[in-house]
Amino acid sequence: MCGIIGYTGPLSATPIVLDGLQKLEYRGYDSAGMAYMNGNGKLSLRKTVGKVKDLRAICDDDEATCGIGHTRWATHGGVSNTNAHPHKVGNIALIHNGIIENYHELVNEYDLAGDLASETDSEVVAALINKLYDGNPNTTIRKVVSLLNGSFAFCILFGDHPGIIYCVRNVSPMVATHCKDGSFIASDLTAFIDFTKRYFIIPEYTIVTVREDGIMMEDLDGKTVEPEYLEVNWDISDAQKDGYPYFMLKEIHEQPDAITRTITPRIVDGLPDFTEDGVPEDFFENVSDITVVACGTAMYAGMVGRTLLQKYLRIPVTVAIASEFRYEEPVLSENSVVIVVSQSGETIDTLEALRLAKKYTKKTLSLVNVKGSSIARESDYVMYTHAGPEIAVASTKAYTVQTSMFYLLTAKLALVQKKKTEEEVRRFIGNLEKVPDLIFDMLGSEEDIERLTKRMLNAKNAFFIGRNLDYTLSMEGALKLKEISYIHAEAYAAGELKHGTIALISEGMPVIAIASQTHVYSKMISNIREVKARGAYVILLSKDEKITDDALCDEHVKLPNIADDFTMFASIVILQMIAYYTAVGKGLNPDQPRNLAKSVTVE
Ligand code: AGP
């Protein structure tokens, strides 16, 4: 939700801010803007509706040594030049990521209406800072922050303090670094990884003064806060397209390596081992129940986890949508394990759900991809997935690494709780280790998948159907298709169709059917025949060598002959490619679907 970057240093700020914004564009892309300052303290603004390339076109020649930039995902107020950031009021320019909930009250209380040009909550903060400014940015920011309700990451330029960027955050993420090329601050480090792999996370409610020669931080009591530097284990090439037309396709292809990186360090002598993650053995003992909490794709990874955990542990496992869990009264006890799943580690609903869960149990575990993110820091235990940076809005490799973690967790819990013998667990882990090669083989069917999506390009609706593990996958397949191709897609448990939904099947409507689970295979085939008989265009994924029966399906994708528990990895790659080629076939950019942003830090 909005990307922000600030730079001050010896180099020209304009290209650094513009290039940084380009890398942050996945966070929002309806409008973009920058503010910059020269040594004389003159504040200049450039902003435009559209993408970073449109902003570049209007400010590429601007000279500055200090600048802040913003790429917007609209929350308050439509997409317009006026609503684009930065907002300048008086001699102050401000960019914001987050939502100020009490902005109406502030306008009334401080009589700010006459200072406002936009409909945004963010401009109210710029106006408030301008109104309360006492010549000292730190004391003013401290005062203003104490008046705000909501989430925020602000970068602020004061015209009378040239060359300095002031920042503060609550909930919304912000990282910073100082290196030989100057000082940087951004929503995430991809914005400045060209310059250094070292960075630190800005603590909440800390006022940050970013100067060319260093970064100072103080808490709201004026006490100095020292940065805790981290280092990433990936570099700029991981955040580039590397010859692929889109990040999404690149990330689909990265899945074998991402899974290998994630599971290999956690398999010791053929058994799951979380010693390196610092998770003690007693975490896995005395577990009465498990709740998985997440949003979107991460939640669907949890659905796969639930199916496995419940099957092998025989204890209740529930999956909760984080935004719902927060407002229900969760049934948790001290022996409940809560697994929080998030690629970004910053999704606000998931973070708040974690905070709620911690009131009930000390056994919260997060599966997170971004090192040092809020969810990772606040959970009792964290296991990092090693997908590397995921840039495309539609999550692919993050999902498969999250699901692979659920396989490891299932194996560990089953072993510790003596639900499976060591030999059985070794066999299970042996199958998991084959997954990267399995996905690699499935990627070979890319051309076939592109061909069979041709008949989907004009579809208005599509169904994904399956039973058991395949049903959980169907949900993720439907989400992928919806979010990047804008075709209305729904997932159904195949047995449930005849209780109403089958009425929606019409001639030529795509139905993607997954039939990999042996114990429900024959039932699944009957359900597929039912939709085929009503005119659906059926794409069937199954382990059958060949299907020649036209009354069953129009297209068949052969899945590998492996244990049923593991076919999901093969199937999901096919579903991801179906979504990708449908979007691309429709002339859409799958990396930046309309109305969406990668990291959802608003509620
Ligand atoms: C899926 O393609 C989406 N990008 C979205 O559902 C995403 O998985 C969800 O917003 C959760 O994000 P997180 O994993 O960063 O918490």
Side-chain angles (χ1 to χ4, degrees):
M1 309 273 104
C2 302
I4 62 181
I5 177 168
Y7 168 77
T8 182
L11 307 176
S12 173
T14 314
I16 291 176
V17 170
L18 288 168
D19 292 350
L21 282 182
Q22 197 95 52
K23 298 194 187 93
L24 294 174
E25 206 169 32
Y26 70 88
R27 303 180 67 90
Y29 33 83
D30 58 45
S31 46
M34 68 176 282
Y36 54 90
M37 245 194 305
N38 290 315
N40 61 11
K42 184 172 176 296
L43 270 176
S44 305
L45 243 63
R46 298 276 184 273
K47 47 189 188 171
T48 181
V49 165
K51 303 210 168 169
V52 177
K53 68 174 172 30
D54 303 303
L55 178 65
R56 201 181 281 277
I58 58 168
C59 62
D60 229 359
D61 294 335
D62 294 337
E63 272 305 319
T65 51
C66 174
I68 56 175
H70 186 269
T71 176
R72 182 171 186 243
W73 187 83
T75 56
H76 293 56
V79 178
S80 69
N81 263 11
T82 319
N83 289 339
H85 298 215
H87 294 289
K88 183 167 177 284
V89 182
N91 210 12
I92 285 153
L94 170 145
I95 54 178
H96 171 215
N97 171 25
I99 287 183
I100 304 303
E101 289 164 4
N102 60 334
Y103 75 107
H104 263 310
E105 293 87 323
L106 293 169
V107 171
N108 295 335
E109 201 170 323
Y110 290 88
D111 193 20
L112 302 174
D115 297 333
L116 304 174
S118 78
E119 303 153 270
T120 66
D121 52 335
S122 313
E123 192 188 22
V124 172
V125 181
L128 190 58
I129 293 175
N130 180 56
K131 182 133 233 163
L132 301 183
Y133 188 43
D134 59 9
N136 180 335
N138 283 48
T139 53
T140 310
I141 293 171
R142 208 175 291 161
K143 207 181 306 161
V144 168
V145 156
S146 70
L147 301 171
L148 303 179
N149 293 338
S151 60
F152 49 82
F154 296 119
C155 286
I156 311 153
L157 297 180
F158 291 78
D160 55 351
H161 287 75
I164 308 175
I165 304 166
Y166 292 88
C167 312
V168 65
R169 80 171 188 104
N170 173 41
V171 183
S172 304
M174 194 149 61
V175 295
T177 195
H178 175 71
C179 63
K180 67 176 181 20
D181 293 311
S183 299
F184 299 77
I185 190 142
S187 301
D188 101 43
L189 83 147
T190 48
F192 54 69
I193 197 167
D194 279 348
F195 296 90
T196 176
K197 290 168 101 174
R198 293 181 73 241
Y199 71 104
F200 62 91
I201 292 158
I202 307 290
E204 287 178 340
Y205 288 107
T206 302
I207 298 171
V208 190
T209 310
V210 184
R211 298 173 194 268
E212 172 175 346
D213 58 358
I215 301 177
M216 300 278 296
M217 294 197 287
E218 59 176 48
D219 65 18
L220 294 185
D221 298 325
K223 277 201 220 91
T224 303
V225 177
E226 292 300 331
E228 289 178 22
Y229 271 92
L230 301 165
E231 188 157 338
V232 277
N233 56 1
W234 49 269
D235 56 34
I236 187 62
S237 62
D238 293 309
Q240 287 170 339
K241 284 188 203 150
D242 212 10
Y244 286 92
Y246 292 105
F247 279 111
M248 183 176 173
L249 189 60
K250 178 186 176 229
E251 289 163 8
I252 288 173
H253 279 264
E254 284 174 342
Q255 291 178 105
D257 286 345
I259 294 175
T260 304
R261 278 198 304 272
T262 300
I263 63 170
T264 308
R266 296 178 169 115
I267 300 173
V268 177
D269 188 23
L271 294 173
D273 187 308
F274 297 106
T275 318
E276 291 289 295
D277 296 294
V279 182
E281 209 63 6
D282 63 8
F283 178 88
F284 303 98
E285 293 161 1
N286 301 324
V287 177
S288 57
D289 54 272
I290 299 174
T291 300
V292 182
V293 190
C295 301
T297 289
M299 193 251 301
Y300 293 140
M303 295 279 193
V304 173
R306 174 186 167 275
T307 310
L308 289 169
L309 288 162
Q310 207 155 261
K311 172 175 168 183
Y312 287 103
L313 302 183
R314 311 300 306 141
I315 59 171
V317 183
T318 43
V319 179
I321 299 171
S323 55
E324 290 295 311
F325 177 85
R326 290 180 57 187
Y327 301 105
E328 291 166 352
E329 285 172 29
V331 184
L332 296 172
S333 69
E334 57 182 6
N335 286 332
S336 303
V337 162
V338 175
I339 305 176
V340 172
V341 191
S342 176
Q343 187 283 128
S344 62
E346 299 293 350
T347 302
I348 184 74
D349 284 318
T350 311
L351 177 61
E352 292 295 343
L354 166 66
R355 288 174 177 164
L356 175 65
K358 283 178 75 176
K359 294 186 178 150
Y360 296 83
T361 174
K362 291 190 170 51
K363 285 186 160 193
T364 61
L365 164 70
S366 62
L367 306 181
V368 173
N369 199 43
V370 177
K371 212 167 157 182
S373 53
S374 305
I375 291 173
R377 281 178 293 127
E378 292 196 28
S379 50
D380 296 307
Y381 302 100
V382 56
M383 294 180 184
Y384 285 109
T385 52
H386 299 299
E390 192 180 61
I391 309 288
V393 166
S395 187
T396 52
K397 59 178 179 171
Y399 171 84
T400 40
V401 293
Q402 287 157 357
T403 47
S404 67
M405 285 303 297
F406 276 110
Y407 280 74
L408 284 177
L409 283 168
T410 302
K412 179 72 185 176
L413 284 156
L415 189 62
V416 172
Q417 298 188 9
K418 300 194 177 11
K419 299 284 170 55
K420 290 285 160 198
T421 64
E422 197 175 297
E423 198 191 327
E424 286 168 326
V425 171
R426 279 185 201 285
R427 212 164 30 243
F428 186 84
I429 293 292
N431 275 327
L432 183 63
E433 287 179 305
K434 290 182 197 147
V435 162
D437 285 344
L438 186 96
I439 293 183
F440 186 79
D441 290 347
M442 291 317 285
L443 290 168
S445 48
E446 205 171 329
E447 276 180 26
D448 281 341
I449 304 303
E450 183 175 10
R451 177 188 55 74
L452 59 82
T453 56
K454 296 271 186 281
R455 277 182 65 183
M456 294 180 58
L457 302 184
N458 294 320
K460 295 268 181 291
N461 302 289
F463 281 172
F464 288 73
I465 60 171
R467 283 171 177 256
N468 201 247
L469 203 51
D470 291 337
Y471 169 50
T472 67
L473 281 187
S474 305
M475 298 181 211
E476 172 59 7
L479 175 62
K480 285 290 89 86
L481 189 69
K482 274 186 268 213
E483 69 177 329
I484 62 169
S485 77
Y486 315 144
I487 294 172
H488 169 240
E490 294 299 336
Y492 284 101
E496 186 65 9
L497 281 174
K498 54 192 172 295
H499 298 287
T501 322
I502 203 164
L504 293 172
I505 300 285
S506 57
E507 193 61 38
M509 180 170 152
V511 174
I512 294 90
I514 315 161
S516 74
Q517 301 299 296
T518 312
H519 65 302
V520 285
Y521 177 81
S522 57
K523 304 255 181 281
M524 186 64 203
I525 293 299
S526 306
N527 298 143
I528 298 169
R529 286 192 190 285
E530 288 154 15
V531 291
K532 182 70 188 131
R534 286 159 179 84
Y537 165 55
V538 175
I539 301 172
L540 169 62
L541 280 58
S542 79
K543 292 185 201 169
D544 300 287
E545 266 327 303
K546 206 172 166 141
I547 292 193
T548 48
D549 181 355
D550 291 345
L552 181 61
C553 64
D554 299 87
E555 298 284 353
H556 175 234
V557 179
K558 159 98 180 79
L559 297 175
N561 285 320
I562 41 152
D564 288 359
D565 283 341
F566 296 87
T567 49
M568 62 116 333
F569 288 101
S571 306
I572 194 61
V573 173
I574 301 299
L575 302 189
Q576 292 166 347
M577 289 197 288
I578 287 176
Y580 173 83
Y581 280 108
T582 307
V584 171
K586 290 179 75 173
L588 301 168
N589 174 353
D591 286 347
Q592 293 183 345
R594 69 184 181 207
N595 303 340
L596 292 177
K598 180 77 181 160
S599 179
V600 185
T601 51
V602 294
E603 297 176 47

